[in-house]
Amino acid sequence: MPVANAFLKVENLARSFVLERPVFAGVNFTLDRGEFVCIIGHSGCGKTTILNVLAGLDQASEGHVFMDGRELAGPGLERGVVFQSHALMPWLTVRRNIAFAVESRWPDWSRAQVDAHVRTFVEMVGLGAAIDRKPSELSGGMKQRVGIARAFAIQPKMLLLDEPFGALDALTRGTIQDELMAIVRETRQTVFMITHDVDEAILLADRILLMSNGHDTAGGYVPGGIAEVVANPLPRERTRAGLHHLPGYYELRNHIVDFLVTRARAGGR
Ligand SMILES: Nc1ncnc2c1ncn2[C@@H]1O[C@H](COP(=O)(O)OP(=O)(O)O)[C@@H](O)[C@H]1O
Ligand SMILES: [Mg+2]
């Protein structure tokens, strides 16, 4: 797909917190509609900062982000964000936590409309029986599902996920990865997701952005950036259990691990 028609276009993005030492600079990438893109890189390279800029929660020092041909300015309900630690309102039930977002998105909807919509998405993440519980009565995995249901319920044009499964145990993580993949495929959702889990990226992503850390060299400071974009060659109909058996899996995995071990902190280019 030509870049001009890309759904999301990130152009020459840079962000500095300290003068002369931008965390990253010259970041360019695109997302096609319905594409699932993961970004992987060591801690501190600026993944969350990029996601915050895409969410409109932070402003880049340089560069532009266009969605559907229009430059982004501030947060908007056409983008749904899921953070690493579920940001639920503790005094509200699952139903009310999600209804709150749905009512902001569609202020004209009747109570019955809102409630039916909320139920659909709560059931989608398998929490129908817990709809009237409060966050304190839910496990970490269940809370994370509520966060995902809430993000999907506002039917965003783009979903932004910052290590959404990072805090979960392996078993729960696997189940939710499978659920997320099924929902994303079904709804043809466009997703930008940060992960530090190579297998998670290989399972979920159509393309994987490899990001390097800013670092000092003999010639001076080099900001972080996207060192490489890896297309996932595995068939899209893949499962967690079958991943290891697919031809090309180990090659892809080794390539990413090699990047993280040998190139990510040294510029990678
Ligand atoms: N609000 C901020 N003020 C100052 N420095 C920040 C701020 N946010 C992030 N940073 C710095 O920017 C760098 C990248 O952070 P972050 O985007 O959170 O990295 P990642 O998500 O890849 O681990 C880190 O060095 C971090 O300390
Ligand atoms: Mg982060």
Side-chain angles (χ1 to χ4, degrees), residues 15 17 23-24 41-50 162-163 194 211:
R15 179 70 169 103
F17 296 104
V23 177
F24 54 80
H42 290 293
S43 170
C45 68
K47 304 178 298 294
T48 295
T49 304
I50 291 182
D162 191 350
E163 303 196 33
I194 299 172
M211 191 167 175

Side-chain angles (χ1 to χ4, degrees), residues 7 14 33 39 49 73 96 165 183 206 211 228 235 243 262:
F7 170 61
R33 202 179 296 277
I39 184 161
T49 304
R96 290 303 308 156
F165 314 129
I183 299 165
D206 300 309
M211 191 167 175
E228 194 183 326
L243 206 56
T262 65

